[in-house]
Amino acid sequence: AEMQILLSRFGAIDGYNLDGGGSSSLVFNGRVVNHPSDGALRALPTNFLFFE
């Protein structure tokens, strides 16, 4: 419920809850910016791409 309130305050239309497990990776400008638990990226069938 708290996340819904925060997203609403910031004007979000959609929100996604990612599991945050070892398969979750955040890449920004071609650089991995989080620390996957495996120590490396996994090949995954699902991606979220954000463009400005």
Side-chain angles (χ1 to χ4, degrees):
E2 183 180 357
M3 185 57 71
Q4 290 174 320
I5 292 167
L6 288 171
L7 289 172
S8 178
R9 285 183 186 165
F10 286 105
I13 296 168
D14 294 307
Y16 297 92
N17 179 25
L18 303 176
D19 71 0
S23 62
S24 294
S25 298
L26 179 61
V27 179
F28 182 74
N29 284 336
R31 191 173 128 250
V32 180
V33 295
N34 70 327
H35 300 285
S37 62
D38 294 1
L41 297 176
R42 293 183 193 174
L44 299 170
T46 305
N47 299 285
F48 289 96
L49 303 174
F50 299 93
F51 298 93
E52 192 172 26

